[in-house]
Amino acid sequence: MCYAIPGKIIEIKKNVAVLDYFGEKRNVLLDQDVKVGDYAYAQGGVLINVIEKAEAERVLIFWKEKFFELKEIDEKTSKVQEINASTKVLEILEKVNLSKELTKEDMMFLLKVEDSRELKLIYETANNVRQKEHDNACCVHGIIEFSNYCKNDCSYCGIRKSRNIQRYRMSVKEIVEVAKKAVSLGFKALVLQSGEDYWYDEEKLIEIVKKIRKLNVLIFLSIGVREKRIYEKLYQAGARGVLLRFETSDRELFERERPKTNFNKRISLIRDLKEMKYIIATGFLVGIGESEENIVNNILLTKELEPDMYSFGPFIPSGGSSKVEKDLIFKIIALSRFIDKKSKILVTSALETLDSNARKEGLMAGANSLMLNVTPKKYKELYNLYPGRKDEEVIKAVDETVDLLYSIGRAPTDLGI
Ligand code: SAH
Ligand code: SF4
């Protein structure tokens, strides 16, 4: 099994290489020496590593048939079939098809839609846009939750400081071992996530990043707010992505739910990280007391931050079940797809806790990225940001994911920008 298809380098322009995948061309950023004719893996628009020609050919033989077979399934399943909707919904969707900008009012209108046929049409349209813009690639990142210590006390979070829970920290060696295992399962991109845990100082974080980068994998950091200087050093050490949600665009709500943290500081860090050339994944929580207008503002702020990937999901309370309807999340996925056609949109694991079918439905409503948890079981049980998280073996989860993706014609790969 494989999470990436090697491409052949057919052109090099300064720090960008053009990779060819069975006739499809993609640009990827370069930060190493390569030459035309090399075969390489890319993730998130970054060239990860060059591989031997013999190995590339072996993988490509498997993929060649599958590649076109999956594309065909995706093309078929992403056609718009529903035709029944009110004039207003049809008008807004026509704007989407003509690539006209949606107004805030249009977005609010779609967010309020409840009729099942109209919802079907909205999701199908979003899936169709996804197919046209991104083809059938669906990147699958692995996530390693390496510490549940946190200095913050965000009211919504199951591992916040004031909660009396069993805490753990993985050693540098353990983290690297888990990463190795994930790479051996085929992952080409890993997210390293933790509470804001300053026990991992600059030195430890650099060591972790350097060691994992050697495994030829794209590294995303999800460690909360740290000094800009540290993020710069981590970029130099080989990290290329950051997952940092702004959580809500409503300052008052932010400051109420995230005591002693600062909205402006978080937003300017996201902007700084973008300037440092990090690949950015950002977004917000749904269901923490925001209004519908807030949700639209959240989508618009995500767009303004120009992320590579949108990451938003329902708030799942520690004590009970979520009040967020899964259709609300699907509508947000579709709206995000409409206003930012080029971006990747993640189906988050919090969404998957709402319903066992939510992953597939999210992918059919415009999303095109997934994250699988590769944290060892003994720690995963303690990293309860929210309850109801799936507790399955990594290998089983990988198999199920690949089966699901194949069934809807998606290739578990990321062909770059
Ligand atoms: N400490 C880091 C990373 C870990 S938290 C940070 O805060 O950025 C990762 C994400 O989990 C947060 O961005 C938040 O949106 C989400 N999260 C926290 N508690 C949650 C809950 N109860 N339900 C759903 N998502 C939650
Ligand atoms: Fe800590 Fe992140 Fe949870 Fe806030 S959301 S308490 S920063 S782990």
Side-chain angles (χ1 to χ4, degrees):
M1 191 224 323
C2 159
Y3 286 108
I5 307 175
K8 189 175 186 177
I9 302 178
I10 54 166
E11 200 184 336
I12 297 171
K13 313 177 247 186
K14 274 194 192 159
N15 63 340
V16 173
V18 182
L19 289 190
D20 176 274
Y21 298 93
F22 305 117
E24 272 184 32
K25 297 185 184 27
R26 302 292 160 104
N27 292 332
V28 293
L29 291 176
L30 281 178
D31 57 7
Q32 53 189 288
D33 284 336
V34 296
K35 54 184 191 316
V36 170
D38 281 347
Y39 285 89
Y41 283 118
Q43 276 283 303
V46 179
L47 189 135
I48 300 295
N49 64 308
V50 169
I51 59 166
E52 292 289 328
K53 190 168 176 233
E55 189 194 337
E57 281 170 351
R58 192 175 47 77
V59 181
L60 288 172
I61 285 172
F62 165 79
W63 266 106
K64 193 160 185 168
E65 240 173 78
K66 200 79 194 160
F67 192 73
F68 293 105
E69 185 190 312
L70 292 175
K71 262 179 193 295
E72 218 178 288
I73 301 175
D74 182 40
E75 270 165 37
K76 274 192 202 138
T77 47
S78 58
K79 290 211 165 78
V80 178
Q81 288 174 348
E82 182 60 56
I83 45 165
N84 293 296
S86 68
T87 319
K88 180 77 182 165
V89 169
L90 291 174
E91 266 172 27
I92 300 175
L93 296 181
E94 185 60 8
K95 276 191 178 178
V96 171
N97 290 329
L98 295 172
S99 291
K100 287 191 183 160
E101 212 166 297
L102 297 191
T103 62
K104 230 170 125 170
E105 289 68 38
D106 293 334
M107 294 174 74
M108 289 288 286
F109 193 89
L110 292 187
L111 202 60
K112 288 182 203 288
V113 168
E114 298 279 345
D115 179 83
S116 61
R117 285 185 309 186
E118 290 189 336
L119 287 175
K120 187 165 177 269
L121 177 62
I122 292 170
Y123 304 156
E124 284 180 356
T125 308
N127 190 30
N128 189 257
V129 172
R130 187 272 317 152
Q131 192 272 333
K132 283 194 193 123
E133 292 291 326
H134 293 265
D135 219 314
N136 67 340
C138 178
C139 58
V140 184
H141 294 184
I143 179 163
I144 304 174
E145 298 154 341
F146 64 90
S147 160
N148 70 351
Y149 280 86
C150 189
K151 75 174 195 28
N152 290 335
D153 211 25
C154 310
S155 66
Y156 45 77
C157 181
I159 63 168
R160 66 182 181 267
K161 189 178 176 209
S162 63
R163 283 199 94 207
N164 184 14
I165 55 164
Q166 194 184 328
R167 305 276 170 179
Y168 72 90
R169 284 186 179 114
M170 284 164 65
S171 67
V172 174
K173 194 163 167 239
E174 270 180 301
I175 301 170
V176 177
E177 281 308 311
V178 175
K180 261 189 204 156
K181 199 171 155 212
V183 170
S184 76
L185 287 172
F187 286 94
K188 289 272 182 277
L190 292 175
V191 181
L192 305 177
Q193 190 177 83
S194 67
E196 262 177 46
D197 183 1
Y198 284 47
W199 182 83
Y200 297 90
D201 56 12
E202 188 178 322
E203 201 184 325
K204 285 197 190 73
L205 289 172
I206 289 176
E207 190 186 347
I208 295 166
V209 168
K210 279 194 172 156
K211 288 191 167 150
I212 296 183
R213 181 64 187 92
K214 284 210 184 102
L215 305 173
N216 290 327
V217 69
L218 180 75
I219 303 170
F220 265 84
L221 301 167
S222 179
I223 55 176
V225 175
R226 288 292 179 113
E227 278 172 62
K228 199 176 151 185
R229 190 184 55 81
I230 294 193
Y231 272 114
E232 268 159 357
K233 292 215 166 152
L234 293 170
Y235 190 95
Q236 283 160 17
R240 286 292 173 272
V242 172
L243 164 59
L244 187 68
R245 291 178 173 175
F246 55 83
E247 315 294 0
T248 175
S249 59
D250 179 334
R251 282 153 201 263
E252 248 176 60
L253 188 61
F254 184 100
E255 264 134 47
R256 197 169 70 223
E257 303 302 321
R258 301 184 46 95
K260 295 193 193 139
T261 69
N262 182 286
F263 177 81
N264 286 343
K265 201 170 154 190
R266 202 161 170 100
I267 294 287
S268 44
L269 177 61
I270 298 172
R271 294 192 203 279
D272 288 342
L273 293 166
K274 171 104 189 149
E275 221 160 82
M276 284 178 218
K277 304 263 181 289
Y278 272 108
I279 299 166
I280 303 294
T282 190
F284 48 91
L285 269 167
V286 181
I288 52 167
E290 73 283 355
S291 65
E292 275 176 339
E293 190 180 353
N294 268 161
I295 296 180
V296 169
N297 288 338
N298 287 343
I299 302 172
L300 291 171
L301 178 56
T302 312
K303 184 181 181 194
E304 193 192 314
L305 293 166
E306 298 178 73
D308 182 71
M309 189 186 281
Y310 283 49
S311 165
F312 49 79
F315 160 54
I316 317 282
S318 301
S321 54
S322 181
K323 292 198 174 56
V324 179
E325 297 282 336
K326 62 177 181 164
D327 273 305
L328 176 60
I329 306 290
F330 301 149
K331 279 187 267 186
I332 299 174
I333 292 178
L335 275 174
S336 305
R337 177 57 67 216
F338 293 156
I339 62 143
D340 199 352
K341 295 184 173 177
K342 296 249 175 285
S343 188
K344 290 184 186 125
I345 301 173
L346 185 69
V347 172
T348 50
S349 32
L351 169 60
E352 292 173 34
T353 65
L354 294 186
D355 185 301
S356 58
N357 212 21
R359 178 187 283 180
K360 181 173 173 184
E361 291 175 287
L363 290 171
M364 297 302 280
N368 61 343
S369 300
L370 292 176
M371 259 178 212
L372 294 190
N373 201 321
V374 296
T375 311
K377 195 171 184 295
K378 62 176 173 177
Y379 296 129
K380 196 155 78 175
E381 286 165 357
L382 302 173
Y383 195 87
N384 274 324
L385 291 176
Y386 46 84
R389 300 183 340 137
K390 273 203 216 155
D391 176 28
E392 29 169 42
E393 288 293 325
V394 180
I395 298 182
K396 195 167 160 249
V398 167
D399 285 349
E400 276 179 16
T401 305
V402 173
D403 285 349
L404 166 69
L405 292 177
Y406 283 2
S407 76
I408 53 171
R410 307 288 175 91
T413 184
D414 178 350
L415 302 185
I417 29 181

